[in-house]
Amino acid sequence: TPFANATFENVSYSISEMIIGTIPGSVGETSVIAILLGAVVLIWTGVASWKIMFSSVLGGLAIGYLGYAAGATDLPGWYQLIMGGFLFGTVFMATDPVTSAQTECGKWIYGFLVGALAVTVRIWNPGYPEGMMLAILLMNTFAPLIDHYVIEGSIKRRAKKVKIA
């Protein structure tokens, strides 16, 4: 195979190669353009939540820049979004309507934590180079708990308004 003696630390791809998708990887996971087109279709048809997508990107950027500022990585935060399966997982997997958070506020929390956890695993765990699938799996287990606390908080706020008035 051509990669038998290659060391992946020395392999680097340009930003345009990552956006177009001419780098090695699973089919559909490497083209930012194709993923963004899919995101538009999913949002337009109402299948996926833009709130989960947007907050996942915010979470990824936050931790990406935090890791960059801390010196844990040489890559700026935005670079974390276009390399690997981050966008693919954000658009097509984290937004699964059955396993993600159901409340509107819960979608923001869930998405942010998916993105933040994915980049955290990617930066601070060198033995596991891609953290998106782990982040989605873990946050899917916590989605009902997030929704529970969002609903409980809403009930408590409403109860306070009724007692004051």
Side-chain angles (χ1 to χ4, degrees):
T1 64
F3 295 108
N5 295 324
T7 58
F8 290 104
E9 294 85 27
N10 298 328
V11 176
S12 64
Y13 300 104
S14 70
I15 295 167
S16 62
E17 288 175 316
M18 287 189 279
I19 290 174
I20 295 169
T22 57
I23 61 174
S26 299
V27 175
E29 159 178 277
T30 60
S31 175
V32 173
I33 295 170
I35 293 168
L36 293 178
L37 287 173
V40 169
V41 170
L42 290 175
I43 292 169
W44 184 55
T45 58
V47 173
S49 169
W50 67 270
K51 294 170 186 164
I52 294 173
M53 291 182 204
F54 186 72
S55 60
S56 179
V57 167
L58 289 179
L61 283 173
I63 299 299
Y65 279 112
L66 182 67
Y68 184 69
T73 182
D74 295 335
L75 303 173
W78 64 268
Y79 206 84
Q80 299 290 340
L81 304 181
I82 62 171
M83 89 178 170
F86 185 88
L87 278 181
F88 184 84
T90 294
V91 170
F92 298 109
M93 300 177 83
T95 58
D96 176 36
V98 176
T99 57
S100 63
Q102 302 299 309
T103 60
E104 296 306 309
C105 182
K107 289 177 183 180
W108 287 101
I109 297 167
Y110 168 83
F112 186 87
L113 291 175
V114 165
L117 184 59
V119 175
T120 299
V121 170
R122 183 186 280 178
I123 291 176
W124 281 284
N125 186 359
Y128 194 59
E130 187 63 64
M132 184 50 92
M133 298 309 115
L134 176 65
I136 292 169
L137 180 64
L138 185 61
M139 292 316 302
N140 282 349
T141 62
F142 284 106
L145 188 64
I146 292 169
D147 283 337
H148 171 75
Y149 280 111
V150 166
I151 292 169
E152 287 297 315
S154 178
I155 291 170
K156 286 180 183 178
R157 279 191 305 277
R158 289 180 183 177
K160 275 186 176 180
K161 287 181 183 177
V162 170
K163 287 180 184 178
I164 292 173

